[in-house]
């Protein structure tokens, strides 16, 4: 036998050339190789599960080869959770606690603070029994110091890649799902730690916070009149530097210490002068701490919005900072080295992610601390404060300034930590106390046990998989080879035909295109233009489908045939997409429209018929459908008749069509005492027909029953018809009414009569309607309308964005009485012949009003007013689907997605009323269907999809209220 590759090439070459009618037993054997070889190699395009000769279905091509042992299990390698050599331990992000993790890492790498915390007495002695630890229960720290001790000991000597700080976070009472202000957290925690350590007896422990972080400055005020100087001393643990308008850190420090003039209303009361005097005030730095925390005030309060916002401006800072020029007492050692950069990645003050770049005090190398992941920063990665890849608000971001050697610049750094430069090397012998080391050893033992357990589970899964592999391989080797003669000859013939056509398709496509360019000489065939545009794709899909049927349904190959009654509906749907059926008329004949078909030559049709042998065939001499021709003539006659009716009605009622000189109830015309009323909906439908009689059916009746209640009474008062209900009715002159009675079938006559009351000088005018008002039904209608306005579901409202406090929206109420311009409703397609409008009785004899229930009447009323009450959207508005029981907060979320404005930046109002109660429903706030809500955005918010962390769109945070940081 020839090698597999040569056999395969020969087999496929044969399939391209052999004619289906020439298939012999030898060809069948060749076809078997054609199918078998790809199946063994796993390149079969479909998983022919029902084909016993396809080995893809039982996976022989996989089981007979080598299998990667990792495919036998889904257990991760436990060693991936192991701490790498000479690396730091990460901290788990519990949801939104990345701001806590960054500070923990910075404090951990402060060796003096770590050493002092290790010296704190601990209640761990109660947990110890003799020289060991109680095995039956876990250690639970009782105080904040004990939590920090245990965390630092784990960060120092744990074998894990990262540890869980949930005990520490829980002890502080922090909400793991709420992101907080990192700078505020730093201040409050340092205050809490200082207060906790102040009770310690050991001075090295008691004073560690003051020694490391506490400095002193004075507010100095000098009277310009007498020169008296007053000082107010104050301690600080960080300097809060304004960055707005500055590019360098030194500029921010200079502004912090600059003089402030106290003049005018802000003058200073001088104790020496005993009066208000002009003065100057400034801050003098008296002493600086070993660790200098510089808070860059990126998160500022916006008084206009009442919320915080972030300043994304670049600030440059150096690795060496000389503070001597800024202190009052010169001559000391005030040179600082940069030791940490804390970063907020994101454009909003209420979301984003916190990361820390921290310098290892022992090795002098920089590391990036990102929760569980810790990365060494060296080479090109050593760009301090740069974490902007996912935080850019737009493509037009500010260009990063150039930085020299030893300097850096960042637009996301919010805190810089500097350490006092000393000649002494840092203490490298921070030892974990014995009782803490025992706890760490116990945790490491648990971790090692877990690693062994996971490795054993992996090994067991791999062993089972390998055993199964050998078993299946042995089974395959024992399987007898199937007889080639069992193949179905008809299936082989069909497969050969499909393969040949697939290979010929591209060539035939070029040939057909060239034939279509040439003029048709003699007789040809009609082909649908839509079919010609997509025939190659249709052919390929059809061949793939036939190929798949041969593999999956198996036909006679499996000794069974398809049920003829099976999936009839599916076949009907598929037949709608068949080639050349786009020129079939509803009667199955050639359609009469020549715009939808094209004449092609016999040669082109012959090529197409190879791929679509069952396609309908229409020679050029084939007549179009006779039934369609009759219907077309009838349609033309109907159109002519409609045009004649429309022209007659338009001529008879010119003022009603053009809406000229229409009467008005609020300004009753003097030349008549009687006016008639019809539904405005009737007028709109009639105008639509008159404008486009070929697209609409004639309006044959006046449906005034829509204006009456089930008892036959009028549903509108005279006052309401002059105001809110005026959009529902149309007033008719008496002369017009006589013409309407001739042209249309009128179900009910509704008229208003004016009566003058008085003898000589009329003192009062009364208006009487026929039929009279039905008070009971009128009351029910008003109540139902109010309920509908408060209990709607899936109604449309419009939100209009206001720019620069100016309402740029014009009055967008629809003009109901149009004259020459075509209304939006007129653009709708007319209903097909035979489809009746439910609002009108189209028959000639239906003069008797139908008896309808009150509920049916309400629904009927809604149909009548559905167009008249519709709001027309203008530029700057967006339509939203809402429900009455939806809260205002939920609406704000919808508006956020529509306008990219965060909820806390939205100021909403309706009809001059401010919408502020987020918990209130739209129904109680008076937001009804078709309402227009004005939106004023306080500030543009960038794309929220750019946030890489858990994005939180929330109202302004309540800070650390209720947490352990405030002593609760």
């Amino acid at each position: 036998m020839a090698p597999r590759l040569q056999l395969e090439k020969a087999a496929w070459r044969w399939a391209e050339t052999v004619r289906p009618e020439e298939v012999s037993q030898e060809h069948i054997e060749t076809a078997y190789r054609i199918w078998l070889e790809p199946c063994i190699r796993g390149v079969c395009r479909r998983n022919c599960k029902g084909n016993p000769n396809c080995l893809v279905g039982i996976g022989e091509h996989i089981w007979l080869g080598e299998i990667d042992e990792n495919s036998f299990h889904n257990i991760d390698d436990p060693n991936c959770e192991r701490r790498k050599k000479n690396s730091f331990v990460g901290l788990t992000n519990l949801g939104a606690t990345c701001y806590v993790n960054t500070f923990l890492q910075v404090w951990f790498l402060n060796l003096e603070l770590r050493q002092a915390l290790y010296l704190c007495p601990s209640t761990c002695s109660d947990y110890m029994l003799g020289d060991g630890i109680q095995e039956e229960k876990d250690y639970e720290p009782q105080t904040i110091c004990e939590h920090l001790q245990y965390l630092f000991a784990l960060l120092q000597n744990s074998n894990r890649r990262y540890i869980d700080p949930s005990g520490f976070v829980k002890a502080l009472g922090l909400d793991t799902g709420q992101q907080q202000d990192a700078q505020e957290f730093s201040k409050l925690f340092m205050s809490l730690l200082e207060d906790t350590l102040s009770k310690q007896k050991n001075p090295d422990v008691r004073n560690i916070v003051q020694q490391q972080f506490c400095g002193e400055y004075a507010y100095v005020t000098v009277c310009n009149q007498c020169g008296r100087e007053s000082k107010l001393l104050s301690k600080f643990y960080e300097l809060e530097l304004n960055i707005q308008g500055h590019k360098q850190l030194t500029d921010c420090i200079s502004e912090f210490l600059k003089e402030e003039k106290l003049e005018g209303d802000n003058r200073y009361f001088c104790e020496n002068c005993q009066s208000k005097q002009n003065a100057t005030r400034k801050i003098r730095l008296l002493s600086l701490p070993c660790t200098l925390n510089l808070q860059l005030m990126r998160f500022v309060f916006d008084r206009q919005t009442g919320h915080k916002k972030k300043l994304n401006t670049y600030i440059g800072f150096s690795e060496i900072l000389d503070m001597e020029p800024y202190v009052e007492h010169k001559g000391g050692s005030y040179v600082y080295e940069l030791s940490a950069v804390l970063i907020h990645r994101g454009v909003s003050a209420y979301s984003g992610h916190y990361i820390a770049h921290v310098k290892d005090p022992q090795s002098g190398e920089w590391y990036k601390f990102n929760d569980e992941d810790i990365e060494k920063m060296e080479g090109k990665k050593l760009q301090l404060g740069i974490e902007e890849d996912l935080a850019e608000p737009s493509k037009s971001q500010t260009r990063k300034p150039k930085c020299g050697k030893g300097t850096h610049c960042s637009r996301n750094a919010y805190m810089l930590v500097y350490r006092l430069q000393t000649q002494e090397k840092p203490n490298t012998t921070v030892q974990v106390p014995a009782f803490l080391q025992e706890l760490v050893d116990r945790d490491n033992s648990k971790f090692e046990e877990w690693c062994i357990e996971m490795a054993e589970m992996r090994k067991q899964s791999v062993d089972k998989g390998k055993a199964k592999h050998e078993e299946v391989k042995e089974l395959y080797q024992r399987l007898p080879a199937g007889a080639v003669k069992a193949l179905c000859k008809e299936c082989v013939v069909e497969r050969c035909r499909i393969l040949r056509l697939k290979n010929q398709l591209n060539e035939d496509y070029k040939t057909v295109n060239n034939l279509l360019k040439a003029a048709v000489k003699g007789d040809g065939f009609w082909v649908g233009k839509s079919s010609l545009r997509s025939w190659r794709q249709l052919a390929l899909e059809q061949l793939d489908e036939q190929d798949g049927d041969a593999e999956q349904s198996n036909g006679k190959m499996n000794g069974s045939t398809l049920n003829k009654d099976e999936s009839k509906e599916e076949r009907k749907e598929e037949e709608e997409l068949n080639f050349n059926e786009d020129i079939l008329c509803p009667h199955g004949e050639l359609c009469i429209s020549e715009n939808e078909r094209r004449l092609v030559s016999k040669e082109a049709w012959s090529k197409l018929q190879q791929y679509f042998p069952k396609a309908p065939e229409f020679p050029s001499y084939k007549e179009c459908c006779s039934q369609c021709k009759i219907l077309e003539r009838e349609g033309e006659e109907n159109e002519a008749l409609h045009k004649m009716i429309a022209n007659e009605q338009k001529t008879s009622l010119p003022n009603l069509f053009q809406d000229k000189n229409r009467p008005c109830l609020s300004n009753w015309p003097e030349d008549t005492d009687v006016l008639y009323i019809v539904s405005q909906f009737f007028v709109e439908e009639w105008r639509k027909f008159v404008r486009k009689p070929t697209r609409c059916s004639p309006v044959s009746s006046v449906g005034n029953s829509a204006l009456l209640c089930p008892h036959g009474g009028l549903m509108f008062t005279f006052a309401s018809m002059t105001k809110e209900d005026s959009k529902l009715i149309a007033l008719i002159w008496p002369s017009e009414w006589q013409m309407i009675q001739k042209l249309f079938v009128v179900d009910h006559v509704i008229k208003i009569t004016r009566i003058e009351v008085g003898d000589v000088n009329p003192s009062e005018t009364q208006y009487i309607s026929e039929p009279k008002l039905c008070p009971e039904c009128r009351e029910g209608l008003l109540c139902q309308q109010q309920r509908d306005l408060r209990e709607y579901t899936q109604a449309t409202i419009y939100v209009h964005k206001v720019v620069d406090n100016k309402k740029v929206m014009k009055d967008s109420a629809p003009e109901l009485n149009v004259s020459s311009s075509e209304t939006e409703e007129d653009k709708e397609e007319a209903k097909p012949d035979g489809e009746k409008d439910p609002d009108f009785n189209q028959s000639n004899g239906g003069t008797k009003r139908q008896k309808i229930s009150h509920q049916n009447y309400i629904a009927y009323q809604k149909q009548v007013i559905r167009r008249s009450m519709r709001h027309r959207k203008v530029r700057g508005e967006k339509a939203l689907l809402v429900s009455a029981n939806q809260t205002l907060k939920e609406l704000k979320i919808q508006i956020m997605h529509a306008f990219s404005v965060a909820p806390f930046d939205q100021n909403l109002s309706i009809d001059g009323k401010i919408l502020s109660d987020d918990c209130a429903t739209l129904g109680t706030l008076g937001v009804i269907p078709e309402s227009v809500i004005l939106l004023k955005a306080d500030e543009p918010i960038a794309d929220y999809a750019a946030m890489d962390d858990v994005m939180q769109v929330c109202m302004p945070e309540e800070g650390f209220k209720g947490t352990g940081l405030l002593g609760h």
Side-chain angles (χ1 to χ4, degrees), residues 23 27 39 74 80 93 109 154 219 261 490 557 577 604 641 717 726 751 756 824 854 859 881:
V23 172
H27 294 148
C39 289
N74 59 352
C80 294
N93 190 337
L109 287 176
L154 289 173
Y219 287 99
K261 293 183 178 180
E490 294 181 15
M557 191 176 292
L577 302 176
L641 178 61
T717 64
S726 61
K751 67 178 181 179
E756 302 291 344
E824 184 178 343
H854 182 74
L881 279 178

PDB file of all heavy atoms in Angstrom, residues 23 27 39 74 80 93 109 154 219 261 490 557 577 604 641 717 726 751 756 824 854 859 881:
ATOM      1  N   VAL A  23     -19.231   5.072 -11.158  1.00  0.00           N
ATOM      2  CA  VAL A  23     -18.772   4.503  -9.894  1.00  0.00           C
ATOM      3  C   VAL A  23     -18.876   2.988  -9.929  1.00  0.00           C
ATOM      4  O   VAL A  23     -19.902   2.413 -10.278  1.00  0.00           O
ATOM      5  CB  VAL A  23     -19.613   5.065  -8.729  1.00  0.00           C
ATOM      6  CG1 VAL A  23     -19.271   4.334  -7.450  1.00  0.00           C
ATOM      7  CG2 VAL A  23     -19.342   6.548  -8.577  1.00  0.00           C
ATOM      8  N   HIS A  27     -14.181   1.983  -7.125  1.00  0.00           N
ATOM      9  CA  HIS A  27     -14.379   3.364  -6.707  1.00  0.00           C
ATOM     10  C   HIS A  27     -14.894   3.444  -5.276  1.00  0.00           C
ATOM     11  O   HIS A  27     -14.527   4.346  -4.519  1.00  0.00           O
ATOM     12  CB  HIS A  27     -15.366   4.061  -7.650  1.00  0.00           C
ATOM     13  CG  HIS A  27     -14.826   4.222  -9.042  1.00  0.00           C
ATOM     14  ND1 HIS A  27     -15.632   4.187 -10.160  1.00  0.00           N
ATOM     15  CD2 HIS A  27     -13.551   4.389  -9.504  1.00  0.00           C
ATOM     16  CE1 HIS A  27     -14.887   4.343 -11.248  1.00  0.00           C
ATOM     17  NE2 HIS A  27     -13.616   4.465 -10.867  1.00  0.00           N
ATOM     18  N   CYS A  39     -10.911  10.897   8.796  1.00  0.00           N
ATOM     19  CA  CYS A  39     -11.530  10.615  10.083  1.00  0.00           C
ATOM     20  C   CYS A  39     -10.487  10.160  11.100  1.00  0.00           C
ATOM     21  O   CYS A  39     -10.539  10.521  12.272  1.00  0.00           O
ATOM     22  CB  CYS A  39     -12.621   9.552   9.929  1.00  0.00           C
ATOM     23  SG  CYS A  39     -14.084  10.166   9.076  1.00  0.00           S
ATOM     24  N   ASN A  74      -8.600  18.297  35.934  1.00  0.00           N
ATOM     25  CA  ASN A  74      -8.877  19.738  35.876  1.00  0.00           C
ATOM     26  C   ASN A  74      -8.417  20.430  37.157  1.00  0.00           C
ATOM     27  O   ASN A  74      -9.024  21.397  37.604  1.00  0.00           O
ATOM     28  CB  ASN A  74     -10.375  19.978  35.653  1.00  0.00           C
ATOM     29  CG  ASN A  74     -11.220  19.372  36.750  1.00  0.00           C
ATOM     30  OD1 ASN A  74     -10.704  18.644  37.591  1.00  0.00           O
ATOM     31  ND2 ASN A  74     -12.518  19.653  36.723  1.00  0.00           N
ATOM     32  N   CYS A  80       1.738  26.435  41.852  1.00  0.00           N
ATOM     33  CA  CYS A  80       1.509  27.792  41.354  1.00  0.00           C
ATOM     34  C   CYS A  80       1.081  28.724  42.481  1.00  0.00           C
ATOM     35  O   CYS A  80       1.163  29.953  42.347  1.00  0.00           O
ATOM     36  CB  CYS A  80       0.439  27.774  40.264  1.00  0.00           C
ATOM     37  SG  CYS A  80       0.939  26.901  38.764  1.00  0.00           S
ATOM     38  N   ASN A  93      -7.562  40.437  47.289  1.00  0.00           N
ATOM     39  CA  ASN A  93      -8.547  41.514  47.178  1.00  0.00           C
ATOM     40  C   ASN A  93      -9.919  40.925  47.485  1.00  0.00           C
ATOM     41  O   ASN A  93     -10.404  40.060  46.774  1.00  0.00           O
ATOM     42  CB  ASN A  93      -8.534  42.116  45.768  1.00  0.00           C
ATOM     43  CG  ASN A  93      -9.355  43.379  45.684  1.00  0.00           C
ATOM     44  OD1 ASN A  93     -10.259  43.612  46.479  1.00  0.00           O
ATOM     45  ND2 ASN A  93      -9.049  44.205  44.696  1.00  0.00           N
ATOM     46  N   LEU A 109       6.791  47.122  54.835  1.00  0.00           N
ATOM     47  CA  LEU A 109       8.164  47.390  54.429  1.00  0.00           C
ATOM     48  C   LEU A 109       8.783  48.557  55.191  1.00  0.00           C
ATOM     49  O   LEU A 109       9.897  48.976  54.866  1.00  0.00           O
ATOM     50  CB  LEU A 109       8.212  47.649  52.919  1.00  0.00           C
ATOM     51  CG  LEU A 109       8.004  46.380  52.080  1.00  0.00           C
ATOM     52  CD1 LEU A 109       7.961  46.708  50.597  1.00  0.00           C
ATOM     53  CD2 LEU A 109       9.108  45.366  52.361  1.00  0.00           C
ATOM     54  N   LEU A 154       2.977  36.632  58.581  1.00  0.00           N
ATOM     55  CA  LEU A 154       2.666  35.832  57.390  1.00  0.00           C
ATOM     56  C   LEU A 154       3.309  36.437  56.142  1.00  0.00           C
ATOM     57  O   LEU A 154       3.835  35.717  55.282  1.00  0.00           O
ATOM     58  CB  LEU A 154       1.150  35.730  57.207  1.00  0.00           C
ATOM     59  CG  LEU A 154       0.392  34.867  58.217  1.00  0.00           C
ATOM     60  CD1 LEU A 154      -1.110  35.004  58.028  1.00  0.00           C
ATOM     61  CD2 LEU A 154       0.800  33.393  58.066  1.00  0.00           C
ATOM     62  N   TYR A 219       1.341  77.540  62.589  1.00  0.00           N
ATOM     63  CA  TYR A 219       0.640  78.591  61.863  1.00  0.00           C
ATOM     64  C   TYR A 219       1.097  79.921  62.455  1.00  0.00           C
ATOM     65  O   TYR A 219       0.847  80.226  63.622  1.00  0.00           O
ATOM     66  CB  TYR A 219      -0.871  78.451  62.028  1.00  0.00           C
ATOM     67  CG  TYR A 219      -1.459  77.298  61.256  1.00  0.00           C
ATOM     68  CD1 TYR A 219      -1.747  76.095  61.893  1.00  0.00           C
ATOM     69  CD2 TYR A 219      -1.741  77.417  59.895  1.00  0.00           C
ATOM     70  CE1 TYR A 219      -2.292  75.041  61.202  1.00  0.00           C
ATOM     71  CE2 TYR A 219      -2.287  76.355  59.194  1.00  0.00           C
ATOM     72  CZ  TYR A 219      -2.566  75.171  59.844  1.00  0.00           C
ATOM     73  OH  TYR A 219      -3.093  74.124  59.151  1.00  0.00           O
ATOM     74  N   LYS A 261      -2.223  86.701  52.685  1.00  0.00           N
ATOM     75  CA  LYS A 261      -2.543  88.048  53.160  1.00  0.00           C
ATOM     76  C   LYS A 261      -3.946  88.060  53.745  1.00  0.00           C
ATOM     77  O   LYS A 261      -4.896  87.598  53.115  1.00  0.00           O
ATOM     78  CB  LYS A 261      -2.434  89.058  52.021  1.00  0.00           C
ATOM     79  CG  LYS A 261      -1.007  89.250  51.520  1.00  0.00           C
ATOM     80  CD  LYS A 261      -0.930  90.324  50.447  1.00  0.00           C
ATOM     81  CE  LYS A 261       0.510  90.529  49.990  1.00  0.00           C
ATOM     82  NZ  LYS A 261       0.601  91.585  48.940  1.00  0.00           N
ATOM     83  N   GLU A 490     -25.257   4.289  -3.596  1.00  0.00           N
ATOM     84  CA  GLU A 490     -25.939   5.555  -3.853  1.00  0.00           C
ATOM     85  C   GLU A 490     -25.308   6.695  -3.058  1.00  0.00           C
ATOM     86  O   GLU A 490     -25.178   7.811  -3.559  1.00  0.00           O
ATOM     87  CB  GLU A 490     -27.423   5.428  -3.494  1.00  0.00           C
ATOM     88  CG  GLU A 490     -28.186   4.469  -4.388  1.00  0.00           C
ATOM     89  CD  GLU A 490     -29.656   4.404  -4.003  1.00  0.00           C
ATOM     90  OE1 GLU A 490     -30.097   5.302  -3.250  1.00  0.00           O
ATOM     91  OE2 GLU A 490     -30.348   3.479  -4.449  1.00  0.00           O
ATOM     92  N   MET A 557     -27.093   4.121   4.532  1.00  0.00           N
ATOM     93  CA  MET A 557     -25.825   3.618   5.033  1.00  0.00           C
ATOM     94  C   MET A 557     -25.992   2.936   6.383  1.00  0.00           C
ATOM     95  O   MET A 557     -25.292   1.993   6.706  1.00  0.00           O
ATOM     96  CB  MET A 557     -24.827   4.785   5.144  1.00  0.00           C
ATOM     97  CG  MET A 557     -23.400   4.365   5.411  1.00  0.00           C
ATOM     98  SD  MET A 557     -22.305   5.767   5.412  1.00  0.00           S
ATOM     99  CE  MET A 557     -22.339   6.240   3.716  1.00  0.00           C
ATOM    100  N   LEU A 577     -36.101  29.711   1.016  1.00  0.00           N
ATOM    101  CA  LEU A 577     -34.795  30.269   0.701  1.00  0.00           C
ATOM    102  C   LEU A 577     -34.178  29.636  -0.541  1.00  0.00           C
ATOM    103  O   LEU A 577     -33.046  29.918  -0.863  1.00  0.00           O
ATOM    104  CB  LEU A 577     -33.848  30.084   1.889  1.00  0.00           C
ATOM    105  CG  LEU A 577     -34.306  30.693   3.207  1.00  0.00           C
ATOM    106  CD1 LEU A 577     -33.314  30.338   4.311  1.00  0.00           C
ATOM    107  CD2 LEU A 577     -34.450  32.199   3.109  1.00  0.00           C
ATOM    108  N   ALA A 604     -25.779  29.908 -19.180  1.00  0.00           N
ATOM    109  CA  ALA A 604     -25.726  30.299 -17.768  1.00  0.00           C
ATOM    110  C   ALA A 604     -26.720  29.486 -16.948  1.00  0.00           C
ATOM    111  O   ALA A 604     -26.412  29.028 -15.836  1.00  0.00           O
ATOM    112  CB  ALA A 604     -26.017  31.791 -17.625  1.00  0.00           C
ATOM    113  N   LEU A 641     -60.414  54.151  -8.818  1.00  0.00           N
ATOM    114  CA  LEU A 641     -61.635  54.457  -8.092  1.00  0.00           C
ATOM    115  C   LEU A 641     -61.333  55.241  -6.822  1.00  0.00           C
ATOM    116  O   LEU A 641     -62.017  56.213  -6.499  1.00  0.00           O
ATOM    117  CB  LEU A 641     -62.367  53.156  -7.751  1.00  0.00           C
ATOM    118  CG  LEU A 641     -63.657  53.298  -6.935  1.00  0.00           C
ATOM    119  CD1 LEU A 641     -64.686  54.133  -7.702  1.00  0.00           C
ATOM    120  CD2 LEU A 641     -64.224  51.928  -6.587  1.00  0.00           C
ATOM    121  N   THR A 717     -66.958  67.536  28.707  1.00  0.00           N
ATOM    122  CA  THR A 717     -67.639  68.773  29.079  1.00  0.00           C
ATOM    123  C   THR A 717     -67.235  69.869  28.106  1.00  0.00           C
ATOM    124  O   THR A 717     -66.233  69.764  27.383  1.00  0.00           O
ATOM    125  CB  THR A 717     -67.247  69.189  30.504  1.00  0.00           C
ATOM    126  OG1 THR A 717     -65.850  69.495  30.540  1.00  0.00           O
ATOM    127  CG2 THR A 717     -67.557  68.076  31.501  1.00  0.00           C
ATOM    128  N   SER A 726     -59.429  69.113  23.575  1.00  0.00           N
ATOM    129  CA  SER A 726     -59.573  69.723  22.252  1.00  0.00           C
ATOM    130  C   SER A 726     -58.800  68.956  21.182  1.00  0.00           C
ATOM    131  O   SER A 726     -59.136  69.052  19.995  1.00  0.00           O
ATOM    132  CB  SER A 726     -59.094  71.177  22.298  1.00  0.00           C
ATOM    133  OG  SER A 726     -57.711  71.227  22.659  1.00  0.00           O
ATOM    134  N   LYS A 751     -73.713  67.499  18.476  1.00  0.00           N
ATOM    135  CA  LYS A 751     -73.672  68.928  18.164  1.00  0.00           C
ATOM    136  C   LYS A 751     -73.693  69.750  19.443  1.00  0.00           C
ATOM    137  O   LYS A 751     -74.166  69.311  20.499  1.00  0.00           O
ATOM    138  CB  LYS A 751     -74.812  69.320  17.238  1.00  0.00           C
ATOM    139  CG  LYS A 751     -76.196  69.220  17.852  1.00  0.00           C
ATOM    140  CD  LYS A 751     -77.249  69.694  16.841  1.00  0.00           C
ATOM    141  CE  LYS A 751     -78.669  69.625  17.442  1.00  0.00           C
ATOM    142  NZ  LYS A 751     -79.693  70.108  16.484  1.00  0.00           N
ATOM    143  N   GLU A 756     -78.490  82.146  24.108  1.00  0.00           N
ATOM    144  CA  GLU A 756     -78.335  83.390  24.850  1.00  0.00           C
ATOM    145  C   GLU A 756     -79.436  83.465  25.908  1.00  0.00           C
ATOM    146  O   GLU A 756     -80.625  83.355  25.592  1.00  0.00           O
ATOM    147  CB  GLU A 756     -78.434  84.600  23.919  1.00  0.00           C
ATOM    148  CG  GLU A 756     -77.413  84.599  22.800  1.00  0.00           C
ATOM    149  CD  GLU A 756     -76.005  84.814  23.312  1.00  0.00           C
ATOM    150  OE1 GLU A 756     -75.860  85.250  24.463  1.00  0.00           O
ATOM    151  OE2 GLU A 756     -75.057  84.546  22.555  1.00  0.00           O
ATOM    152  N   GLU A 824     -46.333  62.876  10.382  1.00  0.00           N
ATOM    153  CA  GLU A 824     -45.526  61.662  10.545  1.00  0.00           C
ATOM    154  C   GLU A 824     -46.378  60.417  10.380  1.00  0.00           C
ATOM    155  O   GLU A 824     -45.931  59.412   9.841  1.00  0.00           O
ATOM    156  CB  GLU A 824     -44.871  61.676  11.927  1.00  0.00           C
ATOM    157  CG  GLU A 824     -43.926  60.517  12.161  1.00  0.00           C
ATOM    158  CD  GLU A 824     -43.282  60.603  13.515  1.00  0.00           C
ATOM    159  OE1 GLU A 824     -43.305  61.683  14.118  1.00  0.00           O
ATOM    160  OE2 GLU A 824     -42.747  59.580  13.967  1.00  0.00           O
ATOM    161  N   HIS A 854     -68.060  49.239  29.722  1.00  0.00           N
ATOM    162  CA  HIS A 854     -67.264  50.406  30.112  1.00  0.00           C
ATOM    163  C   HIS A 854     -65.774  50.146  29.938  1.00  0.00           C
ATOM    164  O   HIS A 854     -65.022  51.000  29.473  1.00  0.00           O
ATOM    165  CB  HIS A 854     -67.552  50.758  31.574  1.00  0.00           C
ATOM    166  CG  HIS A 854     -66.799  51.975  32.031  1.00  0.00           C
ATOM    167  ND1 HIS A 854     -67.143  53.250  31.639  1.00  0.00           N
ATOM    168  CD2 HIS A 854     -65.704  52.103  32.832  1.00  0.00           C
ATOM    169  CE1 HIS A 854     -66.317  54.122  32.184  1.00  0.00           C
ATOM    170  NE2 HIS A 854     -65.429  53.452  32.926  1.00  0.00           N
ATOM    171  N   ALA A 859     -60.652  51.004  26.564  1.00  0.00           N
ATOM    172  CA  ALA A 859     -59.659  50.542  25.591  1.00  0.00           C
ATOM    173  C   ALA A 859     -59.860  51.213  24.249  1.00  0.00           C
ATOM    174  O   ALA A 859     -58.918  51.560  23.543  1.00  0.00           O
ATOM    175  CB  ALA A 859     -59.734  49.026  25.462  1.00  0.00           C
ATOM    176  N   LEU A 881     -37.777  53.297  27.810  1.00  0.00           N
ATOM    177  CA  LEU A 881     -38.931  52.514  28.245  1.00  0.00           C
ATOM    178  C   LEU A 881     -38.882  52.361  29.759  1.00  0.00           C
ATOM    179  O   LEU A 881     -37.891  51.865  30.301  1.00  0.00           O
ATOM    180  CB  LEU A 881     -38.928  51.140  27.572  1.00  0.00           C
ATOM    181  CG  LEU A 881     -39.460  51.076  26.142  1.00  0.00           C
ATOM    182  CD1 LEU A 881     -39.346  49.669  25.603  1.00  0.00           C
ATOM    183  CD2 LEU A 881     -40.900  51.535  26.065  1.00  0.00           C
TER     184      LEU A 881
END
